[in-house]
Amino acid sequence: MSCPRIVATCNDFAMARKFVDEGLGFMIETYPLVANDFRAGRLVQLVPHLKLPPIAAYAIYPANSPKDGLAHLFIDYMLVQPWAAEHDFGKR
């Protein structure tokens, strides 16, 4: 069995997504960025049994950062996204 010939690669979400939308390939992307497209049927999983290991993401900000500052507002925003509870985002 031969491997498919790679015609184009990219490391930019927007460009990779454009390739996928035009039927020119596939991509690996974090669920939050494509969750709505899965739900709407615009994307499908090619290898649904494959699970990539989770990655740790940390928000680091000064202790005196204001509670209404951008860092806190961003974290609050991320925690209320529909996919956050589905994937235990912020539960550690």
Side-chain angles (χ1 to χ4, degrees):
M1 183 168 137
S2 64
C3 293
R5 185 171 63 103
I6 298 173
V7 179
T9 62
C10 68
N11 62 355
D12 176 84
F13 171 78
M15 181 62 74
R17 181 56 194 270
K18 185 69 174 164
F19 286 155
V20 170
D21 289 344
E22 296 297 323
L24 299 174
F26 62 92
M27 64 189 288
I28 297 172
E29 190 54 73
T30 58
Y31 183 79
L33 293 177
V34 294
N36 290 337
D37 297 302
F38 279 129
R39 289 185 193 108
R42 290 185 293 268
L43 293 177
V44 297
Q45 287 184 291
L46 295 177
V47 190
H49 65 278
L50 177 66
K51 297 293 182 201
L52 298 175
I55 60 169
Y58 300 92
I60 301 171
Y61 48 86
N64 63 350
S65 175
K67 295 293 181 197
D68 61 348
L70 292 178
H72 288 280
L73 293 174
F74 176 72
I75 293 166
D76 292 343
Y77 169 79
M78 295 298 282
L79 290 173
V80 299
Q81 296 308 299
W83 50 264
E86 187 176 337
H87 293 280
D88 293 331
F89 187 79
K91 301 294 184 206
R92 296 179 198 217

Short mmCIF file of all heavy atoms in Angstrom, two decimals, residues 25-29 31 38 43-52:
data_model
loop_
_atom_site.label_atom_id
_atom_site.label_comp_id
_atom_site.label_asym_id
_atom_site.label_seq_id
_atom_site.Cartn_x
_atom_site.Cartn_y
_atom_site.Cartn_z
N GLY A 25 -8.65 18.25 1.21
CA GLY A 25 -7.84 17.52 2.18
C GLY A 25 -8.53 17.39 3.51
O GLY A 25 -9.74 17.50 3.63
N PHE A 26 -7.71 17.15 4.52
CA PHE A 26 -8.21 16.97 5.88
C PHE A 26 -7.29 17.71 6.83
O PHE A 26 -6.22 18.17 6.44
CB PHE A 26 -8.31 15.49 6.24
CG PHE A 26 -7.00 14.77 6.22
CD1 PHE A 26 -6.23 14.68 7.36
CD2 PHE A 26 -6.54 14.20 5.06
CE1 PHE A 26 -5.02 14.02 7.34
CE2 PHE A 26 -5.33 13.53 5.03
CZ PHE A 26 -4.56 13.44 6.18
N MET A 27 -7.73 17.83 8.07
CA MET A 27 -6.93 18.55 9.07
C MET A 27 -7.13 17.93 10.44
O MET A 27 -8.11 17.22 10.67
CB MET A 27 -7.33 20.03 9.11
CG MET A 27 -8.77 20.27 9.54
SD MET A 27 -9.35 21.97 9.34
CE MET A 27 -8.47 22.81 10.62
N ILE A 28 -6.19 18.18 11.31
CA ILE A 28 -6.31 17.84 12.72
C ILE A 28 -6.45 19.17 13.45
O ILE A 28 -5.61 20.06 13.29
CB ILE A 28 -5.07 17.08 13.23
CG1 ILE A 28 -4.93 15.76 12.50
CG2 ILE A 28 -5.15 16.88 14.74
CD1 ILE A 28 -3.64 15.03 12.79
N GLU A 29 -7.52 19.29 14.23
CA GLU A 29 -7.76 20.55 14.92
C GLU A 29 -8.43 20.28 16.25
O GLU A 29 -9.07 19.25 16.44
CB GLU A 29 -8.64 21.46 14.06
CG GLU A 29 -8.76 22.87 14.58
CD GLU A 29 -7.42 23.53 14.82
OE1 GLU A 29 -6.74 23.89 13.86
OE2 GLU A 29 -7.05 23.70 15.99
N TYR A 31 -11.07 20.37 19.14
CA TYR A 31 -12.53 20.30 19.06
C TYR A 31 -13.22 21.66 19.20
O TYR A 31 -14.13 21.96 18.44
CB TYR A 31 -13.06 19.31 20.10
CG TYR A 31 -14.55 19.14 20.01
CD1 TYR A 31 -15.12 18.34 19.04
CD2 TYR A 31 -15.39 19.81 20.90
CE1 TYR A 31 -16.49 18.19 18.95
CE2 TYR A 31 -16.76 19.66 20.81
CZ TYR A 31 -17.30 18.85 19.84
OH TYR A 31 -18.65 18.72 19.73
N PHE A 38 -19.07 20.41 13.34
CA PHE A 38 -19.47 19.01 13.51
C PHE A 38 -20.98 18.93 13.75
O PHE A 38 -21.67 18.13 13.13
CB PHE A 38 -18.75 18.34 14.69
CG PHE A 38 -17.37 17.88 14.37
CD1 PHE A 38 -16.31 18.24 15.17
CD2 PHE A 38 -17.11 17.06 13.28
CE1 PHE A 38 -15.03 17.80 14.90
CE2 PHE A 38 -15.84 16.61 12.99
CZ PHE A 38 -14.79 16.99 13.81
N LEU A 43 -18.59 19.29 8.88
CA LEU A 43 -17.38 18.47 9.00
C LEU A 43 -17.74 17.10 9.54
O LEU A 43 -18.73 16.96 10.27
CB LEU A 43 -16.36 19.12 9.94
CG LEU A 43 -15.73 20.43 9.51
CD1 LEU A 43 -14.80 20.94 10.61
CD2 LEU A 43 -14.96 20.26 8.22
N VAL A 44 -16.93 16.12 9.21
CA VAL A 44 -17.09 14.78 9.76
C VAL A 44 -15.72 14.30 10.23
O VAL A 44 -14.69 14.74 9.73
CB VAL A 44 -17.65 13.77 8.73
CG1 VAL A 44 -19.05 14.17 8.30
CG2 VAL A 44 -16.74 13.65 7.52
N GLN A 45 -15.73 13.39 11.21
CA GLN A 45 -14.48 12.80 11.67
C GLN A 45 -14.10 11.66 10.73
O GLN A 45 -14.92 10.78 10.46
CB GLN A 45 -14.63 12.25 13.08
CG GLN A 45 -14.69 13.33 14.14
CD GLN A 45 -14.76 12.72 15.51
OE1 GLN A 45 -15.75 12.12 15.88
NE2 GLN A 45 -13.67 12.86 16.25
N LEU A 46 -12.88 11.68 10.25
CA LEU A 46 -12.42 10.62 9.37
C LEU A 46 -12.00 9.38 10.14
O LEU A 46 -12.15 8.26 9.67
CB LEU A 46 -11.23 11.10 8.52
CG LEU A 46 -11.55 12.21 7.53
CD1 LEU A 46 -10.28 12.65 6.82
CD2 LEU A 46 -12.60 11.77 6.54
N VAL A 47 -11.46 9.59 11.33
CA VAL A 47 -11.00 8.47 12.16
C VAL A 47 -11.58 8.68 13.56
O VAL A 47 -10.89 9.11 14.48
CB VAL A 47 -9.45 8.42 12.21
CG1 VAL A 47 -8.96 7.15 12.87
CG2 VAL A 47 -8.84 8.56 10.83
N PRO A 48 -12.87 8.38 13.74
CA PRO A 48 -13.54 8.72 15.00
C PRO A 48 -12.98 7.99 16.22
O PRO A 48 -13.09 8.51 17.33
CB PRO A 48 -15.00 8.34 14.76
CG PRO A 48 -15.00 7.46 13.59
CD PRO A 48 -13.78 7.77 12.78
N HIS A 49 -12.38 6.84 16.05
CA HIS A 49 -11.85 6.11 17.20
C HIS A 49 -10.50 6.65 17.66
O HIS A 49 -10.04 6.32 18.75
CB HIS A 49 -11.75 4.61 16.88
CG HIS A 49 -10.75 4.32 15.80
ND1 HIS A 49 -11.07 4.44 14.47
CD2 HIS A 49 -9.46 3.93 15.87
CE1 HIS A 49 -10.00 4.13 13.75
NE2 HIS A 49 -9.02 3.82 14.57
N LEU A 50 -9.86 7.48 16.87
CA LEU A 50 -8.56 8.04 17.24
C LEU A 50 -8.76 9.20 18.21
O LEU A 50 -9.51 10.14 17.93
CB LEU A 50 -7.83 8.54 15.99
CG LEU A 50 -6.48 9.20 16.24
CD1 LEU A 50 -5.47 8.19 16.77
CD2 LEU A 50 -5.98 9.84 14.97
N LYS A 51 -8.13 9.13 19.35
CA LYS A 51 -8.20 10.20 20.34
C LYS A 51 -6.78 10.70 20.58
O LYS A 51 -5.90 9.93 20.96
CB LYS A 51 -8.79 9.70 21.67
CG LYS A 51 -10.21 9.22 21.56
CD LYS A 51 -11.15 10.34 21.24
CE LYS A 51 -12.57 9.82 21.19
NZ LYS A 51 -13.46 10.64 20.45
N LEU A 52 -6.55 11.97 20.34
CA LEU A 52 -5.25 12.56 20.62
C LEU A 52 -5.16 12.87 22.11
O LEU A 52 -6.17 13.17 22.74
CB LEU A 52 -5.07 13.84 19.80
CG LEU A 52 -5.08 13.65 18.28
CD1 LEU A 52 -5.01 15.00 17.59
CD2 LEU A 52 -3.94 12.76 17.84
#
